[in-house]
Amino acid sequence: MSLSWETLEELAGRDNGAGVTALLLGATEAERLAFFKTVEAGIKGADPSDWWRAQIHPAGSYAIAVVGTAPTAQKAAALLTRRALRDHWRFMPLGFLTDVATAREVDWMGDLGHRLAQRLSTRNVWDSTEWEFAAAIIRAGGAEPPVIEGVVKGWLGRLIRPRGKRVPPLTMRMRDDPYLDLLLPSVFEFDGLGADIFNTAWGDGSDNPGTVTRFPGAVGALVAEGRLERKTVLAATIDRLARGDKPNALRPFVVLHEKLAPTVDEIAEYAPDHLRLLAEAPGPIAALAQSMLRALDDAGRLDVDTLLDVSAPVLVRKEKTLVKAQITWLEKVAKRDPSRVDDVYRTLAGAFGHPALDVQERALIMIAKQLAGLRADTVALIAGNSVLLAGDLTARAAELFGTTMAAAPEPVPLTALEVAPMPPPIASAAELAEEVVVLLHDQTGVRWERVLAAVVTLHAQGPRDEFAAALAPILQRHSGWFDTNQWNTGSPFHGLGTAIRMATDPPRHDTGHQQLHTSVRIAWQEGRRGGGNSKLAADPTGVLALRAAEIAVRINGSMMPMLVATPTRVNGSIDPAALLERLSRAEAEGWQPWSFDLEQALLRLPRTGVAAEVTAAAAELTSPAGRQFAQWLAAGGLPDPVSEPCAQVGERNDAGAYTWDVPVPRRMGARLTPARDGGLRLERQLLTHQPGRHPRWSPNEFDGVEAVLAMVVPHHREVAAAWALGDLGSFADQGQRGDGRLLPLLAECTGPVGPGMAYGLVYGFGAKHEPDRISAVDAFLTMAAGAEPFAAAVGSALADLCADGTVKLSRVTLGLTDAFRGGAATAVWELLTTALPPLLATKLRAVPDLLELASQVAVALDIRAEIPGLAEAAALPGTSRLAQESRRLLAILTGRP
């Protein structure tokens, strides 16, 4: 066979690596070198997606051709790292590649392997096939791999998680690995690599059922048998812990430290590192350091002054177990060395600054026991520190030290939020073009409203050629967003794009325009979005798409000078006086607002507080829109829908697990039902919502369009909350990330709080990710500054969701503590008095923390009250935290010491 591209293609199409090898080796070296240009052009012109769609992967045959014809390692690497071949490294016929290189007697295979290694991914340790390919080339060249992150990750991933047949245990594989001594030290050096160890160390299928062979255990075994030097591994382990990383990335090194079990001499050598870890490292690592230092202290080799210095930051750490252990340690030192008692208890007084009352109380009790034996200056210093105490401990400290109890600071009054006015309207076609581009990346409700208003206003003002010159290029550049296709038929971008085309250069026949016309007609005749011939979303965000479609359909039918639904406030609200002015203008100029534009405007009017003069002036309007406006105000606007809690219950499969379709045991939804049959055409579908029977996996219907959702009915926030409750629930029960954008937006709106808002806030407080929890706190503070009651409803939802572990009470308590410190003490107390009675009966581990918060709030507000079930919890025998915190709160609420 001749050495031609056609022959190579034919062999590659059959994945005939042996045939390609024979073809190349049958030619002379000069012929092979001359053929390289052909191979290079063919690979550069290939479409990688064609190879993936093929039933076989011809890339291996082309890789043989590269190695068999390339003049240098640089030329070969340039082709092998192109996407057409790089995506198929896992399928490479390594035997044929090395056979061709050996036959050619090339001396650059090691160099080629190094160049390939430089391109190894540093992100994905699960797939080590790229490393295997690069390593095979490196071995063929008789070289060693470069010590870089991609190589170390690939090597480690291949060791920990081997593919294919059963293999020996990890300890044996590491012992026999040729690169162990070269690459293992770097495992301790690259940040984040420990997370890959933790995530991939699942065992390899070669271990007995129920056991796993893990990396730390294997390294520890090799140290024990002398294959690895103990001093080197221990130093690298402690250095890795001291340099810090994310907790899951450090966990394997914590386990390795435990496996190595340092001796007292070794602990003493690395005492400075352990001291820093105790003060600064994440909780589990600090606990490890604490145990090491205690062993050193027990051996009499830790200086007391050093211990006292490190204790100061430890005593205010959030990990209570760690702090309590440090307190016990200090007490032991004081008993062991009476000459240092004053120094120890001065240090111990630092625990008064801990945020937890039980830690503060423990320190206070220990100091009280030794008070008589302390010097006067020590007592004075400790008494001064007692101002840091909280709750009932302030009064106890005042009695103990004979000081005057400082009056509890008045709770900071919250100021009701003033919702900002809308930005000024867009003034030119060029500005509109900029806003449309930004809208593609950030769909805020405010930006959508300004863009829609500007399309109508600027089109009416003209000239058309200026409008077209600014916007037509954007439609062409982002045609996937604005043209008619299967992905965007229900999107507001489709309506916006069609409206701009109709306003600039109306086509004779436009399928998208016809689709939008049908959707608008169905919405007008049936009050329906979605289903049948309507492509619009049935949820509230579909109202925006309907309004954009209405503009596209009507923009050339009448020269409408403006939209009447553009909000006057950034939360979507319209000032009734502003709408009166717009409709009065329409009546005077003889034009009628479009139907859905007017309905959206009415839905944005406040529920209450409409000035009498506005109502009177509206009654004098005679146009159809004016009369509808007047009737709307006279009737009190949109009636509140009925919102009811609705449990979505999971079902287990035959294996006893929850499935993709039913991912969690329980999630709360909210069922909406309209309060009346008549009303606006938009009304019924907006106010009708029936959650599904089962929870959905990671619902994200409103991801990125939270502001659009909130602005549809800004004075009935329960509607938006009910529709989005599935999204909010997944933040807590599935750990999804949403940055909690919706809750603060709804807090800026108004309306009664029903199960949608109440459960939504609790899900926000219990979210896995901190930004979502912070957003829930912000929303709570905003609502606490308002006049509408809400805290009791949130308390009932909290008790429901936390009682069975649907939401983690510990997370919620942290958020409520932040809300209390942020000034919402009254609202937090109202929530707690509703939530505590049912939660006390559960005896959950986190209930004492909630009781502790209640004690702090009760002292701040000087509350005297009765909480059902609290006396029974306080009467429990023993010294459990539940009993202790119940007694504390009961004493505060009854005014008894």
Side-chain angles (χ1 to χ4, degrees), residues 667-734:
R667 181 180 293 157
M668 289 303 297
R671 180 190 301 110
L672 290 178
T673 307
R676 64 184 181 190
D677 291 333
L680 306 179
R681 286 171 174 81
L682 292 176
E683 188 174 324
R684 173 159 292 279
Q685 198 164 12
L686 270 177
L687 306 185
T688 302
H689 176 58
Q690 175 61 55
R693 177 184 175 189
H694 300 303
R696 287 187 55 196
W697 176 273
S698 304
N700 62 346
E701 287 94 334
F702 306 104
D703 184 26
V705 293
E706 294 87 353
V708 173
L709 172 66
M711 291 178 73
V712 178
V713 277
H715 298 289
H716 293 77
R717 55 187 165 197
E718 178 67 14
V719 173
W723 279 93
L725 193 50
D727 286 26
L728 296 171
S730 69
F731 297 168
D733 61 29
Q734 285 188 279

Side-chain angles (χ1 to χ4, degrees), residues 438-513:
V438 176
L439 188 63
L440 294 171
H441 305 282
D442 185 13
Q443 293 191 62
T444 67
V446 169
R447 184 167 289 116
W448 263 115
E449 293 297 334
R450 295 180 74 233
V451 165
L452 293 183
V455 168
V456 174
T457 302
L458 296 177
H459 170 256
Q461 293 173 352
R464 177 176 291 186
D465 54 351
E466 179 182 341
F467 195 72
L471 295 169
I474 296 174
L475 266 60
Q476 295 171 3
R477 190 178 311 123
H478 302 284
S479 59
W481 288 82
F482 297 110
D483 288 355
T484 303
N485 57 62
Q486 61 178 326
W487 309 112
N488 73 346
T489 52
S491 164
F493 286 104
H494 180 219
L496 176 61
T498 305
I500 294 173
R501 283 195 299 273
M502 300 304 295
T504 55
D505 187 19
R508 290 187 177 182
H509 177 77
D510 189 295
T511 303
H513 184 267

Side-chain angles (χ1 to χ4, degrees), residues 206-266:
S206 63
D207 307 302
N208 294 327
T211 65
V212 290
T213 301
R214 294 186 181 275
F215 174 82
V219 174
L222 293 179
V223 168
E225 68 183 44
R227 173 62 180 83
L228 296 174
E229 184 180 5
R230 177 181 177 84
K231 184 177 180 63
T232 301
V233 173
L234 180 60
T237 302
I238 295 176
D239 181 66
R240 173 70 271 176
L241 295 175
R243 282 188 289 116
D245 209 334
K246 294 181 179 179
N248 68 326
L250 293 176
R251 182 172 177 179
F253 302 105
V254 173
V255 176
L256 178 56
H257 191 288
E258 294 170 347
K259 295 284 185 183
L260 294 174
T263 65
V264 171
D265 289 338
E266 290 171 332

Side-chain angles (χ1 to χ4, degrees), residues 1 7-17 19-20 56-58 61:
M1 291 186 290
T7 304
L8 179 60
E9 273 194 314
E10 191 273 331
L11 292 171
R14 293 188 281 113
D15 197 18
N16 188 350
V20 174
I56 60 174
H57 299 285
S61 297

Side-chain angles (χ1 to χ4, degrees), residues 29-89:
E29 181 65 8
E31 291 172 332
R32 288 192 289 263
L33 290 172
F35 188 52
F36 175 74
K37 290 290 186 182
T38 303
V39 173
E40 183 180 40
I43 291 175
K44 287 183 176 180
D47 183 353
S49 61
D50 290 341
W51 293 358
W52 277 115
R53 286 192 291 267
Q55 293 184 347
I56 60 174
H57 299 285
S61 297
Y62 292 117
I64 299 171
V66 170
V67 175
T69 61
T72 64
Q74 181 181 5
K75 294 281 188 179
L79 289 182
L80 291 174
T81 55
R82 290 184 66 86
R83 182 187 167 198
L85 294 181
R86 171 69 180 270
D87 288 349
H88 302 266
W89 279 10

